[in-house]
Amino acid sequence: MYHFFVNPDQIGESAIRILGPDVNHMKNVLRMGAGEQILISNGVDKDYLCEVVEVASSEVTAKILSVEEGGVELPARLYLFQGLPKGDKMELIIQKAVELGVYRIIPVETKRTVVRLDKKKEESKLRRWRAVSESAAKQSKRLIIPEVAGIMTFQEALAFAEELDMTVIPFEHAKDMAKTKEILSGIKPAMSAGIFIGPEGGFEDSEMELAERFGAKQITLGKRILRTETAGLAILSVLAFQLED
């Protein structure tokens, strides 16, 4: 079943209006017509099972068949602070993080970041990354489209994360797995938690010292060295399993 997102003001008592680029996709790509069932999310807290009533040139009208509240999103808000990787790795990271239940993704420039984007390139990348997030949210039946924020410096990201309930940062020299399990088990429903992942090459010692001053807790991901596109997903997987009811 195809999944679409709308703004709350497009939702009426018995019908929903779909506007924008989705109209062209439904009409000319999916060739949808009256009678087909679709899933619509309000991007906040509700899913609507609907039946297409009319496909017009500028909007699609769908009748509401049933409403489901909550139940899909993780009970904690997980923020992934991802050091900018090379190539198209960020798209893979965003796609899989959204599938695993991440709440927001913040790209971060660190000392070992190879990729440096000017304003024009950053805007282009953000458009692409946000489209990837939306597509992954639709595929995984999320209630929300996780935001991909603008790029932050490492210190800006740490300052942002200070407002969260907990922040963790994997470090290759961290060894205490028992301590790591204790830290991660402290992330409970209704909490907000930040996960910092370095780019290729990881974090410099000075960055780890700065993170510690901002209250980030060092953890280990085991005896093996994980790639930047694997590390964050490993932690998200553990937390998703831990938090799901």
Side-chain angles (χ1 to χ4, degrees):
M1 185 182 301
Y2 291 106
H3 187 188
F4 302 93
F5 286 87
V6 299
N7 295 324
D9 61 8
Q10 293 169 233
I11 301 172
E13 289 187 10
S14 60
I16 297 175
R17 298 164 61 234
I18 298 175
L19 307 170
D22 280 338
V23 175
N24 179 67
H25 185 67
M26 296 172 76
K27 182 179 180 181
N28 298 315
V29 179
L30 301 178
R31 304 288 185 183
M32 280 192 171
E36 295 192 55
Q37 290 192 355
I38 57 176
L39 184 67
I40 299 176
S41 296
N42 66 357
V44 183
D45 59 0
K46 290 187 178 76
D47 275 336
Y48 299 82
L49 177 64
C50 298
E51 180 181 298
V52 175
V53 174
E54 182 182 10
V55 179
S57 59
S58 60
E59 68 177 67
V60 173
T61 304
K63 178 175 65 176
I64 297 173
L65 302 177
S66 63
V67 184
E68 184 174 335
E69 297 191 35
V72 176
E73 297 301 317
L74 292 178
R77 291 187 171 185
L78 305 180
Y79 294 70
L80 177 61
F81 295 85
Q82 175 65 51
L84 284 171
K86 294 182 287 187
D88 295 329
K89 293 177 183 178
M90 193 68 176
E91 294 185 15
L92 173 68
I93 292 167
I94 291 168
Q95 181 188 67
K96 301 309 175 187
V98 169
E99 290 177 20
L100 289 168
V102 77
Y103 179 72
R104 183 180 295 177
I105 299 166
I106 300 95
V108 181
E109 282 188 354
T110 71
K111 290 185 177 179
R112 291 179 178 167
T113 297
V114 175
V115 178
R116 302 289 176 180
L117 302 175
D118 59 29
K119 196 65 179 176
K120 186 174 181 181
K121 288 183 179 178
E122 178 182 345
E123 290 173 357
S124 176
K125 284 288 188 182
L126 285 174
R127 283 195 298 272
R128 174 58 187 161
W129 293 340
R130 287 164 180 165
V132 170
S133 179
E134 180 175 352
S135 177
K138 289 177 178 178
Q139 183 276 324
S140 55
K141 301 295 188 286
R142 295 285 301 269
L143 279 172
I144 66 168
I145 301 172
E147 178 190 355
V148 181
I151 297 171
M152 295 184 186
T153 66
F154 187 61
Q155 185 155 343
E156 287 172 341
L158 287 171
F160 181 93
E162 268 197 309
E163 302 300 318
L164 306 179
D165 295 314
M166 185 187 296
T167 301
V168 298
I169 183 166
F171 190 42
E172 59 190 90
H173 299 307
K175 302 295 184 185
D176 194 339
M177 182 57 78
K179 183 65 174 176
T180 291
K181 291 178 180 179
E182 180 185 336
I183 290 170
L184 293 182
S185 66
I187 299 175
K188 305 290 187 182
M191 290 179 63
S192 57
I195 303 161
F196 273 78
I197 303 296
E200 294 88 352
F203 294 110
E204 291 192 355
D205 289 344
S206 61
E207 291 175 317
M208 295 303 298
E209 292 168 5
L210 181 62
E212 189 173 11
R213 292 202 295 274
F214 273 89
K217 300 178 184 295
Q218 286 189 22
I219 62 172
T220 177
L221 295 180
K223 298 176 181 179
R224 294 152 302 282
I225 301 298
L226 302 184
R227 293 178 181 271
T228 186
E229 63 268 34
T230 308
L233 304 182
I235 300 175
L236 285 170
S237 298
V238 169
L239 291 176
F241 183 81
Q242 173 179 299
L243 290 163
E244 292 279 13
D245 2 83

